[in-house]
Amino acid sequence: MYPYCDKTKNVINLIGSGDAAYVPKAITCAIKTLDAIAADESLDTKTREDAAFAAANLVLSDYNDND
């Protein structure tokens, strides 16, 4: 398993246990979140660029959240 940060591991555990909501269209959720990070001018440029790069790659991938 990828070595996620403690905050991400905590949320994984919460979703897995049913204590937090599972989002069925997770890729769309990720794209929207990454786009919001990329647009947040209070964050440093590197973080915003990394988020924009990740969002763009997900948008251009062959994902399909319509199923």
Side-chain angles (χ1 to χ4, degrees):
M1 179 180 221
Y2 184 82
Y4 302 104
C5 73
D6 288 341
K7 185 173 275 308
T8 299
K9 289 178 193 175
N10 184 46
V11 176
I12 290 169
N13 290 331
L14 290 171
I15 293 169
S17 69
D19 291 333
Y22 169 75
V23 178
K25 295 187 179 203
I27 295 176
T28 298
C29 177
I31 291 168
K32 288 179 179 182
T33 301
L34 289 164
D35 184 59
I37 293 168
D40 187 344
E41 294 182 2
S42 72
L43 298 173
D44 63 277
T45 301
K46 175 77 168 107
T47 298
R48 294 178 65 211
E49 288 175 352
D50 288 350
F53 181 79
N57 274 280
L58 285 172
V59 168
L60 295 173
S61 73
D62 58 356
Y63 89 94
N64 182 354
D65 268 351
N66 295 324
D67 296 334

